[in-house]
PDB file of all heavy atoms in Angstrom:
ATOM      1  N   ASP A 723      -9.139  -9.101  -8.439  1.00  0.00           N
ATOM      2  CA  ASP A 723      -8.547  -7.801  -8.233  1.00  0.00           C
ATOM      3  C   ASP A 723      -7.938  -7.279  -9.526  1.00  0.00           C
ATOM      4  O   ASP A 723      -7.798  -6.079  -9.682  1.00  0.00           O
ATOM      5  CB  ASP A 723      -7.470  -7.849  -7.121  1.00  0.00           C
ATOM      6  CG  ASP A 723      -8.105  -7.910  -5.754  1.00  0.00           C
ATOM      7  OD1 ASP A 723      -9.269  -7.659  -5.586  1.00  0.00           O
ATOM      8  OD2 ASP A 723      -7.354  -8.215  -4.766  1.00  0.00           O
ATOM      9  N   ARG A 724      -7.458  -8.140 -10.377  1.00  0.00           N
ATOM     10  CA  ARG A 724      -6.824  -7.696 -11.552  1.00  0.00           C
ATOM     11  C   ARG A 724      -7.747  -6.868 -12.499  1.00  0.00           C
ATOM     12  O   ARG A 724      -7.311  -5.963 -13.210  1.00  0.00           O
ATOM     13  CB  ARG A 724      -6.291  -8.912 -12.369  1.00  0.00           C
ATOM     14  CG  ARG A 724      -5.517  -8.659 -13.597  1.00  0.00           C
ATOM     15  CD  ARG A 724      -4.840  -9.900 -14.121  1.00  0.00           C
ATOM     16  NE  ARG A 724      -4.056  -9.677 -15.416  1.00  0.00           N
ATOM     17  CZ  ARG A 724      -4.554  -9.914 -16.572  1.00  0.00           C
ATOM     18  NH1 ARG A 724      -5.842 -10.357 -16.719  1.00  0.00           N
ATOM     19  NH2 ARG A 724      -3.820  -9.670 -17.671  1.00  0.00           N
ATOM     20  N   VAL A 725      -9.037  -7.154 -12.448  1.00  0.00           N
ATOM     21  CA  VAL A 725     -10.008  -6.453 -13.183  1.00  0.00           C
ATOM     22  C   VAL A 725     -10.960  -5.606 -12.281  1.00  0.00           C
ATOM     23  O   VAL A 725     -11.845  -4.885 -12.813  1.00  0.00           O
ATOM     24  CB  VAL A 725     -10.832  -7.367 -14.148  1.00  0.00           C
ATOM     25  CG1 VAL A 725      -9.893  -7.883 -15.238  1.00  0.00           C
ATOM     26  CG2 VAL A 725     -11.522  -8.490 -13.373  1.00  0.00           C
ATOM     27  N   ALA A 726     -10.879  -5.834 -11.013  1.00  0.00           N
ATOM     28  CA  ALA A 726     -11.753  -5.177 -10.018  1.00  0.00           C
ATOM     29  C   ALA A 726     -13.219  -5.433 -10.401  1.00  0.00           C
ATOM     30  O   ALA A 726     -14.022  -4.460 -10.584  1.00  0.00           O
ATOM     31  CB  ALA A 726     -11.450  -3.645  -9.985  1.00  0.00           C
ATOM     32  N   ALA A 727     -13.625  -6.693 -10.415  1.00  0.00           N
ATOM     33  CA  ALA A 727     -14.985  -7.031 -10.716  1.00  0.00           C
ATOM     34  C   ALA A 727     -15.871  -6.679  -9.534  1.00  0.00           C
ATOM     35  O   ALA A 727     -15.538  -6.965  -8.399  1.00  0.00           O
ATOM     36  CB  ALA A 727     -15.103  -8.556 -11.009  1.00  0.00           C
ATOM     37  N   ILE A 728     -17.080  -6.122  -9.869  1.00  0.00           N
ATOM     38  CA  ILE A 728     -17.992  -5.772  -8.780  1.00  0.00           C
ATOM     39  C   ILE A 728     -19.439  -6.109  -9.244  1.00  0.00           C
ATOM     40  O   ILE A 728     -19.774  -6.275 -10.396  1.00  0.00           O
ATOM     41  CB  ILE A 728     -18.013  -4.202  -8.511  1.00  0.00           C
ATOM     42  CG1 ILE A 728     -18.300  -3.427  -9.818  1.00  0.00           C
ATOM     43  CG2 ILE A 728     -16.655  -3.769  -7.999  1.00  0.00           C
ATOM     44  CD1 ILE A 728     -18.677  -1.980  -9.574  1.00  0.00           C
ATOM     45  N   TYR A 729     -20.274  -6.326  -8.214  1.00  0.00           N
ATOM     46  CA  TYR A 729     -21.716  -6.500  -8.436  1.00  0.00           C
ATOM     47  C   TYR A 729     -22.409  -5.644  -7.341  1.00  0.00           C
ATOM     48  O   TYR A 729     -22.341  -5.924  -6.185  1.00  0.00           O
ATOM     49  CB  TYR A 729     -22.019  -8.011  -8.232  1.00  0.00           C
ATOM     50  CG  TYR A 729     -23.456  -8.368  -8.423  1.00  0.00           C
ATOM     51  CD1 TYR A 729     -24.073  -8.362  -9.721  1.00  0.00           C
ATOM     52  CD2 TYR A 729     -24.261  -8.854  -7.382  1.00  0.00           C
ATOM     53  CE1 TYR A 729     -25.353  -8.765  -9.917  1.00  0.00           C
ATOM     54  CE2 TYR A 729     -25.569  -9.262  -7.596  1.00  0.00           C
ATOM     55  CZ  TYR A 729     -26.115  -9.202  -8.798  1.00  0.00           C
ATOM     56  OH  TYR A 729     -27.435  -9.624  -9.058  1.00  0.00           O
ATOM     57  N   LYS A 730     -23.019  -4.596  -7.740  1.00  0.00           N
ATOM     58  CA  LYS A 730     -23.536  -3.609  -6.872  1.00  0.00           C
ATOM     59  C   LYS A 730     -25.007  -3.295  -7.015  1.00  0.00           C
ATOM     60  O   LYS A 730     -25.565  -3.289  -8.117  1.00  0.00           O
ATOM     61  CB  LYS A 730     -22.792  -2.265  -7.084  1.00  0.00           C
ATOM     62  CG  LYS A 730     -21.349  -2.318  -6.711  1.00  0.00           C
ATOM     63  CD  LYS A 730     -21.178  -2.567  -5.233  1.00  0.00           C
ATOM     64  CE  LYS A 730     -19.697  -2.618  -4.781  1.00  0.00           C
ATOM     65  NZ  LYS A 730     -19.532  -3.021  -3.352  1.00  0.00           N
ATOM     66  N   LEU A 731     -25.676  -3.032  -5.913  1.00  0.00           N
ATOM     67  CA  LEU A 731     -27.102  -2.579  -5.908  1.00  0.00           C
ATOM     68  C   LEU A 731     -27.139  -1.214  -6.492  1.00  0.00           C
ATOM     69  O   LEU A 731     -26.376  -0.293  -6.107  1.00  0.00           O
ATOM     70  CB  LEU A 731     -27.608  -2.600  -4.494  1.00  0.00           C
ATOM     71  CG  LEU A 731     -29.029  -2.021  -4.258  1.00  0.00           C
ATOM     72  CD1 LEU A 731     -30.035  -2.939  -4.907  1.00  0.00           C
ATOM     73  CD2 LEU A 731     -29.302  -1.878  -2.827  1.00  0.00           C
ATOM     74  N   SER A 732     -28.021  -1.020  -7.480  1.00  0.00           N
ATOM     75  CA  SER A 732     -28.189   0.281  -8.135  1.00  0.00           C
ATOM     76  C   SER A 732     -29.551   0.883  -8.042  1.00  0.00           C
ATOM     77  O   SER A 732     -29.713   2.106  -8.227  1.00  0.00           O
ATOM     78  CB  SER A 732     -27.677   0.179  -9.639  1.00  0.00           C
ATOM     79  OG  SER A 732     -28.476  -0.725 -10.291  1.00  0.00           O
ATOM     80  N   CYS A 733     -30.568   0.066  -7.759  1.00  0.00           N
ATOM     81  CA  CYS A 733     -31.926   0.589  -7.687  1.00  0.00           C
ATOM     82  C   CYS A 733     -32.693  -0.312  -6.699  1.00  0.00           C
ATOM     83  O   CYS A 733     -32.702  -1.525  -6.848  1.00  0.00           O
ATOM     84  CB  CYS A 733     -32.625   0.618  -9.019  1.00  0.00           C
ATOM     85  SG  CYS A 733     -34.048   1.661  -9.064  1.00  0.00           S
ATOM     86  N   SER A 734     -33.281   0.303  -5.691  1.00  0.00           N
ATOM     87  CA  SER A 734     -34.109  -0.393  -4.670  1.00  0.00           C
ATOM     88  C   SER A 734     -35.482   0.146  -4.682  1.00  0.00           C
ATOM     89  O   SER A 734     -35.729   1.282  -4.405  1.00  0.00           O
ATOM     90  CB  SER A 734     -33.476  -0.209  -3.285  1.00  0.00           C
ATOM     91  OG  SER A 734     -34.120  -0.961  -2.317  1.00  0.00           O
ATOM     92  N   GLY A 735     -36.445  -0.654  -5.074  1.00  0.00           N
ATOM     93  CA  GLY A 735     -37.809  -0.171  -5.393  1.00  0.00           C
ATOM     94  C   GLY A 735     -37.723   0.787  -6.586  1.00  0.00           C
ATOM     95  O   GLY A 735     -37.162   0.418  -7.633  1.00  0.00           O
TER      96      GLY A 735
END
Side-chain angles (χ1 to χ4, degrees):
D723 284 347
R724 185 170 177 265
V725 294
I728 59 166
Y729 183 68
K730 292 296 179 186
L731 176 66
S732 58
C733 197
S734 183

